[in-house]
C-alpha cells in the first residue's frame, strides 16, 4: 500500500489537475472553429458566443458530399422579450465557406430548419445564431466526406431551373402553434467550380434568395450560397395567429424567379 504521505500527495495532485481542467474548459469552448474562420469571426464581431442551446445535426460520415442532410435548431432559454432572429451556416473546408443565412420573423414560430448541403471534404460545419437583443450562440460538427460535393464533374442537362416548385403545408394551423412547412424546387445550384461532361467549367447559377411572407410581412427568409445542394430543399415552421395569404418566392442570380401562393386557414 502507498505510504500515507504519498496518498496525500496523489490526492492533492488530482485536485489540482481537476481544478486546472475546470479552468481550461471555458477557454476551449470559446476558442471554437468559428473564431478561426474569417467569415464567421467577422459575423461575431469580437463577441464570445454561448456554446449551449444551438444544435447542429449532420451525419458523422457521408459517402456523397453533394447532398448532406443538415438540421439546425435551438433548444436554449431566452428572456421572455427576446427571440432567435437569425441563423448562419458555414463550411470551413469549402472553396466558399458561406452556406446559408436564415432570418426568422415573429411568425416563424420555431427555430428549426432543415436543408441539404454540398461539402467539399472532411471538415467542420459551423452554425451561429443571434437573438433580437444581440445575444450570440455557436456550435460546430465535423463531417467526414468520402466523395467531394463541390468539384465533382456535373451533368450539363439537369432539370429546368425554377421548375415545379413543391410546397407541403398543414391543412389547418392552430393559432400561434408552429406548423411544419416543406419546400423543394428544381434548380442546378451550379457552383461555378465544377466541370461539365465536356471538361469545361460550368457557369455559376444558383438561387440566391428565398422569402416567405404572410399578408406581405416576411415570416422567414434565406440567403443561399453555392454550398446549398441542387434542387434546394428547405424545411421550416410557421405559426400564424390568424388566416393569412402566404407567398413563397425563389429568386436566382440570373434574375428569374418562381412563386407559390396559398391561403392559410387558422383555427
Amino acid at each position: 500500500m502507498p505510504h500515507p504521505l504519498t496518498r496525500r500527495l496523489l490526492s492533492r495532485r488530482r485536485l489540482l489537475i481537476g481544478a486546472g481542467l475546470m479552468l481550461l474548459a471555458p477557454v476551449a469552448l470559446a476558442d471554437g472553429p468559428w473564431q478561426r474562420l474569417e467569415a464567421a469571426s467577422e459575423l461575431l464581431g469580437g463577441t464570445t458566443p454561448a456554446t449551449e442551446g444551438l444544435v447542429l445535426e449532420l451525419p458523422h460520415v457521408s459517402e456523397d458530399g453533394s447532398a448532406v442532410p443538415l438540421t439546425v435548431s435551438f433548444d436554449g432559454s431566452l428572456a421572455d422579450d427576446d427571440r432567435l432572429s437569425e441563423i448562419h451556416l458555414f463550411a470551413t473546408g469549402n472553396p466558399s465557406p458561406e452556406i446559408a443565412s436564415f432570418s426568422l420573423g415573429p411568425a416563424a414560430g420555431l427555430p428549426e430548419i432543415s436543408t441539404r448541403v454540398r461539402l467539399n471534404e472532411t471538415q467542420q460545419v459551423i452554425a451561429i445564431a443571434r437573438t433580437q437583443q444581440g445575444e450570440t450562440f455557436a456550435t460546430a460538427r465535423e463531417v467526414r466526406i468520402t466523395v467531394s460535393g463541390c468539384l465533382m464533374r456535373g451533368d450539363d442537362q439537369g432539370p429546368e431551373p425554377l421548375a415545379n416548385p413543391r410546397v407541403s403545408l398543414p391543412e389547418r394551423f392552430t393559432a400561434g402553434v408552429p406548423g411544419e412547412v416543406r419546400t423543394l424546387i428544381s434548380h442546378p445550384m451550379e457552383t461555378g467550380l465544377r466541370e461539365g461532361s465536356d471538361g469545361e467549367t460550368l457557369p455559376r447559377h444558383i438561387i440566391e434568395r428565398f422569402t416567405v411572407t404572410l399578408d406581405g410581412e416576411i415570416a422567414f427568409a434565406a440567403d443561399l450560397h453555392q454550398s446549398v445542394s441542387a434542387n434546394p430543399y428547405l424545411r421550416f415552421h410557421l405559426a400564424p395567429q390568424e388566416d393569412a395569404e402566404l407567398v413563397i418566392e425563389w429568386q436566382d442570380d440570373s434574375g428569374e424567379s418562381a412563386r407559390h401562393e396559398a391561403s392559410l386557414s387558422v383555427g
Side-chain angles (χ1 to χ4, degrees):
M1 292 183 62
H3 189 276
L5 178 59
T6 303
R7 287 201 302 270
R8 286 198 298 272
L9 289 173
L10 287 172
S11 178
R12 185 181 179 189
R13 184 182 179 189
R14 292 190 189 99
L15 287 171
L16 289 172
I17 291 173
L21 289 174
M22 290 174 66
L23 290 171
L24 287 173
V27 178
L29 288 172
D31 186 28
W34 45 85
Q35 303 290 4
R36 299 187 290 273
L37 182 68
E38 183 177 358
S41 179
E42 287 181 358
L43 178 66
L44 288 169
T47 63
T48 300
T51 55
E52 298 290 335
L54 194 60
V55 179
L56 191 55
E57 300 175 46
L58 297 109
H60 292 293
V61 179
S62 179
E63 294 185 358
D64 179 8
S66 67
V68 181
L70 177 154
T71 296
V72 60
S73 60
F74 182 76
D75 63 4
S77 59
L78 296 174
D80 292 340
D81 59 347
D82 201 6
R83 64 175 179 82
L84 213 66
S85 59
E86 55 188 82
I87 299 175
H88 306 266
L89 300 174
F90 301 91
T92 60
N94 278 7
S96 177
E98 296 86 355
I99 297 176
S101 294
F102 305 105
S103 298
L104 292 82
L110 180 69
E112 179 180 298
I113 304 162
S114 296
T115 188
R116 292 190 286 261
V117 302
R118 284 192 175 107
L119 297 178
N120 186 46
E121 59 189 26
T122 296
Q123 60 183 290
Q124 296 269 357
V125 175
I126 297 169
I128 294 174
R130 193 191 311 273
T131 73
Q132 275 192 312
Q133 296 185 7
E135 187 176 0
T136 56
F137 299 83
T139 190
R141 284 284 303 274
E142 182 176 86
V143 185
R144 300 178 65 183
I145 299 298
T146 303
V147 178
S148 170
C150 295
L151 302 176
M152 64 170 56
R153 181 163 293 188
D155 179 5
D156 304 13
Q157 304 300 320
E160 187 69 21
L162 297 172
N164 193 25
R166 282 148 282 179
V167 177
S168 173
L169 295 163
E171 290 186 7
R172 190 174 182 83
F173 286 85
T174 300
V177 177
E180 183 182 82
V181 181
R182 288 174 290 163
T183 69
L184 181 69
I185 192 167
S186 298
H187 199 282
M189 294 297 288
E190 191 53 62
T191 63
L193 301 170
R194 302 190 308 156
E195 291 183 355
S197 57
D198 59 1
E200 297 294 322
T201 301
L202 298 170
R204 180 184 185 271
H205 187 198
I206 67 170
I207 292 175
E208 292 184 317
R209 183 72 172 166
F210 174 84
T211 56
V212 180
T213 62
L214 296 178
D215 290 338
E217 297 291 329
I218 290 182
F220 177 83
D223 293 317
L224 308 180
H225 298 271
Q226 295 98 313
S227 295
V228 173
S229 297
N231 307 322
Y233 165 77
L234 283 169
R235 182 182 70 88
F236 53 96
H237 295 78
L238 295 176
Q241 296 289 342
E242 56 188 13
D243 293 357
E245 294 302 312
L246 169 77
V247 176
I248 299 177
E249 190 167 11
W250 296 260
Q251 297 176 318
D252 76 9
D253 56 1
S254 69
E256 298 296 321
S257 65
R259 187 179 176 98
H260 176 88
E261 299 182 11
S263 297
L264 302 188
S265 178
V266 179

